């Protein structure tokens, strides 16, 4: 039985913006790199399998995803909670395995040559002894096995009159010994409070889903589990086939003891939403969210519920589902449940958001009320307008940067009013609580089944970050907490963020829900900033989301090209600075929301109003991160024709101006992604040909030299290592020379002047 009871107090649900506007585009993210999961896949060439052990759960249980209760499958052999459980060999004969075992699956022989008769060779052929070999497939667990007949991987040649005997091994054996190291990972010892009683923290035995607080629209509480087309490492399940489709993420519970309660009182309830602020609006008729139950005695999964992806552009509110569990096959010790989604497997598509899963006895079909007061969203700043400002600017006038007040949404999920109090605390990150400031508040009346803002006076309360406690940069940990009695879930009562004050301005909250692109060569993107007091602008910091190989959009995103540009005015258009060298988007795959810095050719002085951005030199979609939780739409401008336009998409670009400071936090962090830029071009200027020297190590195979004109157009591409590169047919002027590896990653670049 399913009850679709949307919250009557859900905030206004905005229609999802059209993906394609005139000259600009908003697209679903196509990757969400999780470096820990990726590292486990790349850690070793040795076959390894980890068996994760779990503590079983008992009724009642609940998860609103305000904390992550999935089991992270990132274990390594040297972790303290990991032990070697078994070594399984691929080949075995009569119960014995040796490291050097190998066999042929066709007969091998002993050839005897008798030369005792003049001018005659008598050859005797005898099959070598065969063995019955147990062959295990170590690519699956538990390994499957079969019995095959194998022969030694060599032939023996014996010339009776000319010893010794020759043994000739074949070039490649058909069966080669291999081993699978099986490790046991101990249960996670942490606990989780359920109605004041400690239970095991881990409720879900896998980590395919993405637990987050920024993707949904108006969730019941802060935190959801998001299902999409990305695997547990944050990369597409199927990168090669853009149109691949099938089962994507799974969220599987640990074993649950369901024996004992009356069969007519056990209910599972949960909330779900399609799309939210992330994902895409394109879908197949079979896109769906599915729920399955496991019958322990039958060792079988049964499908019990399914929701199709909704049609249209409207984002529907979260809906609650109530499912009775009455069948005897499920009311057993060892019951499990799992959610899964059908989706396109080549990116972050077809999103579903799951919230507030509850399973318990002594429930009824109308038990839809939750005794809980919770935050709805996290927040990112106590500053007015910005989420971060340069420390040296803040230090000069702290109060002028603080917001008058900060409003944080809370929700009372109960049908009774609660006395709700809240507070805000801030202190230097990592410091003892000697610098704590408390700001208290009390709830509005008639708050049952409502969403309401908890107001925190900041500037109006004369609060500001104490700049004297830091030098050059400051990192403040800010905590919002609410309290209501009774309240069954303490985990959604607190939200925390770290306020950074270092060397840049930011509007975004540091997380991308979608990707923004311009779709024509020559397009211009400008982002407005208004500052009080001048400073030296030295770089732009941007986050580009990695993109799949979408055949509908070519050339590939790594071939994007742009000129970093700074404007002092758009109408009339006044370019304050434009880089002489071209830039390309760098798609970092070593972590989530990783910004890349694009230095200006030379630092410039800015004051008052200025705009940062780029002039795009080709029509490649570059997928700049787009934050849909903070709306700075009125500061985003683009130009694809004769006039500047304001974007049609509410949100913020993940683009930040960076200023010169004595102690630069960004430059102090080493990154292995930075490439060597020590490319030497000679002669330069060139008239007929030029040569290249690259100080960095050049990868084997696929390294190319690209020659581009002032518009970024690719004019010539030749393999790296040629003795010389001709300039025949090229007009005089300035060109960009870039050396790229087989994946299109830049290894070095420089400018070349061609003149007669």
């Amino acid at each position: 039985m399913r009850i679709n009871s949307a919250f009557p107090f859900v905030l206004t649900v905005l229609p999802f913006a059209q993906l394609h506007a005139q000259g600009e585009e908003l697209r679903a993210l196509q990757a969400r790199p999780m470096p820990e999961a990726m590292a486990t896949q790349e850690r070793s060439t040795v076959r390894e399998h980890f068996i994760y052990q779990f503590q079983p759960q008992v009724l009642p249980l609940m998860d609103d995803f305000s904390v992550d209760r999935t089991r992270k499958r990132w274990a390594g052999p040297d972790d303290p909670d990991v032990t070697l459980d078994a070594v399984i060999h691929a080949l075995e004969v009569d119960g014995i395995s040796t490291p050097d075992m190998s066999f042929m699956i066709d007969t091998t022989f002993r050839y005897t040559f008798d030369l005792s008769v003049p001018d005659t060779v008598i050859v005797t052929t005898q099959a070598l002894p065969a063995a019955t070999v147990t062959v295990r497939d170590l690519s699956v667990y538990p390994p499957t096995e079969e019995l095959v007949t194998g022969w030694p991987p060599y032939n023996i040649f014996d010339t009776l009159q000319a010893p010794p005997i020759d043994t000739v091994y074949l070039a490649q054996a058909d069966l080669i010994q291999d081993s699978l190291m099986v490790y046991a990972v101990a249960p996670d010892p942490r606990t989780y409070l359920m109605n004041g009683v400690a239970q095991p923290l881990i409720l879900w035995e896998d980590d395919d889903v993405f637990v987050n607080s920024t993707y949904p629209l108006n969730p019941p509480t802060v935190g959801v589990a998001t299902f999409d087309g990305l695997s547990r490492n944050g990369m597409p399940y199927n990168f090669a086939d853009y149109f691949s489709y099938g089962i994507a993420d799974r969220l599987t519970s640990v074993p649950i003891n369901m024996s004992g309660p009356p069969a007519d009182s056990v209910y599972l309830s949960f909330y779900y939403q399609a799309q939210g602020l992330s994902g895409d609006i394109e879908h197949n008729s079979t896109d769906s969210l599915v729920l399955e139950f496991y019958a322990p005695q039958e060792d079988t999964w049964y499908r019990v519920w399914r929701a199709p992806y909704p049609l249209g552009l409207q984002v529907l509110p979260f809906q609650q589902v109530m499912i009775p569990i009455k069948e005897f096959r499920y009311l057993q010790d060892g019951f499990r449940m799992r959610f899964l989604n059908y989706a396109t497997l080549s990116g972050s598509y077809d999103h579903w958001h799951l919230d507030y899963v509850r399973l318990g006895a002594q429930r009824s079909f109308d038990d839809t009320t939750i005794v809980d007061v919770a935050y709805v969203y996290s927040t990112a700043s106590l500053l007015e307008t910005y989420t971060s400002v340069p420390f040296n600017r803040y230090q000069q006038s702290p109060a002028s940067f603080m917001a008058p007040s900060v409003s944080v949404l809370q929700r009372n999920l109960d049908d009774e009013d609660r006395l709700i109090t809240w507070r805000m605390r801030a202190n230097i990150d990592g410091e003892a609580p000697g610098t704590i400031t408390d700001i208290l508040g009390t709830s509005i009346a008639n708050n049952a089944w409502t969403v309401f803002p908890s107001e925190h006076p900041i500037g109006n309360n004369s609060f500001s970050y104490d700049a004297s406690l830091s030098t050059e940069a400051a990192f403040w940990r800010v905590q919002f907490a609410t309290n209501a009695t009774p309240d069954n879930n303490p985990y959604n009562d607190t939200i925390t963020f770290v306020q950074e004050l270092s060397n840049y301005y930011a509007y975004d909250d540091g997380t991308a829900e979608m990707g923004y692109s311009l779709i024509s060569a020559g397009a211009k993107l400008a982002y407005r900033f208004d500052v009080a007091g001048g400073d030296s602008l030295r770089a732009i910091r941007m986050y580009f989301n990695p993109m799949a190989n979408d055949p509908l959009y070519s050339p590939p995103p790594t071939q994007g090209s742009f000129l970093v540009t700074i404007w002092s005015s758009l109408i009339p258009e006044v370019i304050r600075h434009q880089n002489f060298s071209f830039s390309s988007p760098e798609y970092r795959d070593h972590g989530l929301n990783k910004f890349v810095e694009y230095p200006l050719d030379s630092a410039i002085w800015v004051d008052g109003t200025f705009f940062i951005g780029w002039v795009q030199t080709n029509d490649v979609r570059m997928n700049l991160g787009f934050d849909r939780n903070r709306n700075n739409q009125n500061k985003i401008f683009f130009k694809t024709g004769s006039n500047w336009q304001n974007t049609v998409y509410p949100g913020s670009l993940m683009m930040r101006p960076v200023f010169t400071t004595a102690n630069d936090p960004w430059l102090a962090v080493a990154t292995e992604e930075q490439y060597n830029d020590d490319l030497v071009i000679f002669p330069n200027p060139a008239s007929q040909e030029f040569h290249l020297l690259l100080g960095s190590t050049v990868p084997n195979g696929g390294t190319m030299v690209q020659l581009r004109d002032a518009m970024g157009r690719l004019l010539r591409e030749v393999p790296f290592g040629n003795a010389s590169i001709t300039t025949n047919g090229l007009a005089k002027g300035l060109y960009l020379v870039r050396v790229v590896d087989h994946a299109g990653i830049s290894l070095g670049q420089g400018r070349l002047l061609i003149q007669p």
Side-chain angles (χ1 to χ4, degrees):
M1 179 177 180
R2 169 176 143 185
I3 300 175
N4 293 329
S5 57
F7 287 116
F9 46 78
V10 166
L11 300 183
T12 302
V13 178
L14 301 176
F16 189 84
Q18 184 180 353
L19 282 179
H20 302 277
Q22 184 65 39
E24 59 176 350
E25 180 181 75
L26 202 61
R27 306 184 67 204
L29 300 178
Q30 295 185 323
R32 190 177 53 247
M34 298 293 181
E36 298 92 343
M38 297 172 70
T40 61
Q41 297 176 342
E42 302 168 357
R43 179 178 59 237
S44 174
T45 57
V46 177
R47 291 184 183 271
E48 298 172 338
H49 180 78
F50 294 86
I51 300 176
Y52 290 82
Q53 300 171 345
F54 304 98
Q55 299 182 50
Q57 294 279 349
V58 296
L59 299 182
L61 57 84
M62 172 271 295
D63 190 4
D64 77 327
F65 302 100
S66 53
V67 296
D68 192 347
R69 301 183 66 189
T70 63
R71 184 65 186 267
K72 301 304 180 186
R73 295 178 172 264
W74 300 337
D78 299 327
D79 292 348
D81 59 342
V82 174
T83 56
L84 181 63
D85 189 64
V87 179
I88 302 176
H89 299 288
L91 305 179
E92 181 181 293
V93 177
D94 295 331
I96 297 175
S97 295
T98 59
D100 58 348
M101 271 188 173
S102 59
F103 298 92
M104 302 301 295
I105 59 175
D106 200 1
T107 311
T108 53
F109 299 92
R110 181 187 184 101
Y111 298 95
T112 302
F113 299 89
D114 187 351
L115 307 180
S116 60
V117 179
D119 301 324
T120 302
V121 178
I122 301 174
V123 181
T124 303
T125 303
Q126 182 182 6
L128 295 177
T132 300
V133 184
T134 300
V135 181
R136 299 185 179 93
D137 181 2
L138 301 185
S139 65
V140 296
Y141 190 87
T144 58
E145 62 182 46
E146 61 177 334
L147 296 178
V148 302
T149 301
W151 286 265
Y154 51 80
N155 291 306
I156 297 176
F157 297 87
D158 182 9
T159 302
L160 296 178
Q161 286 73 31
I165 298 173
D166 294 325
T167 301
V168 179
Y169 283 85
L170 302 179
Q172 179 66 50
D174 296 321
L175 304 174
I176 301 175
Q177 184 66 287
D178 197 359
S179 298
L180 175 66
M181 314 296 287
V182 181
Y183 296 93
V185 186
D188 192 315
R190 294 175 295 171
T191 58
Y192 179 89
L193 289 177
M194 176 67 182
N195 295 326
V197 179
Q199 293 184 341
L201 172 69
I202 299 301
L203 176 58
W204 311 102
E205 67 178 31
D206 41 32
D207 59 350
D208 293 351
V209 300
F210 177 49
V211 177
N212 71 96
S213 60
T214 66
Y215 281 11
L217 180 64
N218 297 322
T221 66
V222 61
V224 297
T226 297
F227 296 73
D228 58 14
L230 299 178
S231 67
R232 57 181 299 274
N233 65 9
M235 305 305 285
Y237 279 101
N238 191 330
F239 187 90
D241 182 2
Y242 182 76
F243 299 101
S244 60
Y245 180 84
I247 295 176
D249 291 339
R250 290 178 172 87
L251 183 64
T252 309
S253 75
V254 302
I256 303 167
N257 187 354
M258 292 274 281
S259 62
D264 60 351
S265 73
V266 181
Y267 277 81
L268 170 69
S269 63
F270 56 89
Y271 286 90
Y272 75 95
Q273 179 186 64
Q275 192 176 301
L277 296 175
S278 54
D280 62 319
I281 62 173
E282 301 173 2
H283 62 274
N284 299 314
S285 60
T286 53
D287 287 346
S288 58
L289 182 67
V290 171
L291 172 65
E292 296 179 337
F293 289 163
Y294 176 71
Q297 295 181 353
E298 303 171 35
D299 191 22
T300 303
W301 287 94
Y302 290 95
R303 189 157 297 186
V304 298
W305 176 86
R306 173 184 175 271
Y309 212 71
L311 299 173
L313 301 179
Q314 191 82 3
V315 178
L316 301 179
F318 274 84
Q319 299 186 51
Q320 186 172 194
V321 176
M322 293 285 295
I323 298 178
I325 306 178
K326 298 182 177 181
E327 296 185 50
F328 179 76
R329 58 162 53 108
Y330 305 133
L331 299 175
Q332 308 291 329
D333 191 4
F335 167 82
R336 288 187 293 167
M337 57 183 172
R338 71 180 176 196
F339 296 87
L340 57 89
N341 69 309
Y342 284 86
T344 301
L345 302 177
S346 57
S348 185
Y349 307 131
D350 309 329
H351 281 202
W352 294 93
H353 309 295
L354 182 68
D355 200 4
Y356 234 122
V357 177
R358 293 189 298 154
L359 177 63
Q362 287 77 51
R363 299 186 67 186
S364 59
F365 72 94
D366 58 353
D367 181 16
T368 59
T369 301
I370 304 174
V371 181
D372 192 11
V373 174
Y375 285 107
V376 178
Y377 287 113
S378 57
T379 191
S381 180
L382 299 185
L383 304 179
E384 176 77 355
T385 307
Y386 297 107
T387 56
S388 185
V389 299
F391 178 80
N392 60 349
R393 306 305 307 171
Y394 178 86
Q395 190 178 36
Q396 295 173 13
S397 179
S400 67
F401 286 98
M402 303 305 298
S405 64
V406 172
S407 179
V408 186
L409 288 181
Q410 294 189 47
R411 168 173 279 139
N412 183 0
L413 293 102
D414 198 356
D415 57 2
E416 296 183 9
D417 287 350
R418 292 281 178 255
L419 174 62
I420 306 168
T421 60
W422 57 80
R423 73 181 184 204
M424 187 278 291
R425 289 186 171 186
N427 63 283
I428 293 288
D429 192 25
E431 292 286 330
T435 56
I436 287 181
T437 300
D438 284 308
I439 300 176
L440 303 177
T442 305
S443 69
I444 59 173
N446 303 318
N447 56 45
W449 283 77
T450 61
V451 171
F452 61 91
S454 56
E455 295 292 338
H456 301 263
I458 305 299
N460 294 337
N461 201 57
S462 300
F463 171 78
S464 59
Y465 300 117
D466 188 348
S468 67
L469 300 175
S470 308
T471 56
E472 302 298 339
F475 298 86
W476 281 72
R477 180 167 294 275
V478 180
Q479 180 192 82
F480 294 91
T482 187
N483 180 68
T485 303
D487 187 287
N488 289 344
N489 183 6
Y491 297 98
N492 52 34
D493 296 346
T494 304
I495 53 177
T496 303
F497 71 91
V498 174
Q499 181 88 64
E500 178 182 353
L501 306 171
S502 56
N503 66 340
Y504 65 89
Y505 287 93
Y507 294 122
D508 64 273
D509 66 4
T511 62
E513 285 71 51
M514 301 194 78
Y516 180 87
S517 297
L518 300 179
I519 55 179
S520 61
K524 301 177 182 180
L525 178 65
Y527 205 15
R528 176 172 176 159
F529 288 82
D530 298 280
V531 299
D535 210 339
S536 295
L537 178 68
R538 68 163 184 81
I540 298 177
R541 203 170 290 165
M542 292 181 277
Y543 169 66
F544 290 99
N545 179 255
M547 298 176 69
N549 186 21
D550 186 344
L552 302 179
Y553 300 95
S554 59
T558 53
Q559 293 187 16
S561 178
F562 59 90
L563 292 169
V564 171
T565 306
I566 312 298
W567 293 266
S568 58
S569 171
L570 298 184
I571 304 176
E573 183 174 351
V574 179
I575 294 179
R576 175 72 176 81
H577 171 88
Q578 187 170 75
N579 268 9
F580 198 57
S581 55
F582 300 100
S583 298
S584 292
E586 292 188 39
Y587 301 95
R588 300 285 175 87
D589 62 359
H590 67 290
L592 186 61
N593 298 309
K594 295 293 185 180
F595 281 79
V596 175
E597 193 162 283
Y598 295 84
L600 275 60
D601 286 344
S602 59
I604 62 170
W605 186 262
V606 294
D607 196 356
T609 298
F610 65 96
F611 301 80
I612 65 173
W614 70 60
V615 175
Q616 194 162 310
T617 60
N618 56 25
D619 60 356
V620 175
R621 289 158 168 81
M622 295 187 290
N623 217 38
L624 180 68
F626 196 81
D627 170 19
R628 298 196 68 206
N629 285 284
R630 295 182 65 88
N631 187 10
N632 289 281
Q633 179 181 9
N634 63 341
K635 300 176 179 65
I636 304 172
F637 301 89
F638 71 98
K639 184 178 183 180
T640 56
S642 57
N643 298 314
W644 285 95
Q645 303 177 62
N646 193 216
T647 181
V648 301
Y649 302 120
S652 300
L653 299 176
M654 294 181 71
M655 178 187 291
R656 303 167 172 179
V658 183
F659 294 86
T660 300
T661 58
N663 179 19
D664 196 323
W666 179 271
L667 296 181
V669 178
T671 169
E672 62 186 11
E673 265 65 10
Q674 293 176 339
Y675 59 81
N676 290 325
D677 206 14
D678 51 350
L679 180 67
V680 178
I681 306 172
F682 64 98
N684 192 5
S687 58
Q688 296 180 335
E689 62 182 25
F690 63 95
H691 306 262
L692 302 176
L693 288 177
L694 185 63
S696 60
T697 302
V698 178
N700 293 326
T703 303
M704 304 295 290
V705 177
Q706 296 178 345
L707 190 66
R708 296 178 181 268
D709 65 9
M711 288 297 293
R713 292 172 296 195
L714 183 63
L715 303 180
R716 197 161 292 174
E717 189 173 46
V718 298
F720 182 84
N722 284 6
S724 63
I725 301 174
T726 180
T727 62
N728 290 342
L730 299 174
K732 66 179 181 179
L734 189 66
Y735 294 82
L736 176 71
V737 179
R738 177 177 294 158
V739 180
V740 297
D741 67 11
H742 69 283
I745 303 300
S746 182
L747 303 175
Q749 66 181 30
R751 288 171 289 182
L752 170 69
L753 179 62
I754 297 179
Q755 62 183 27

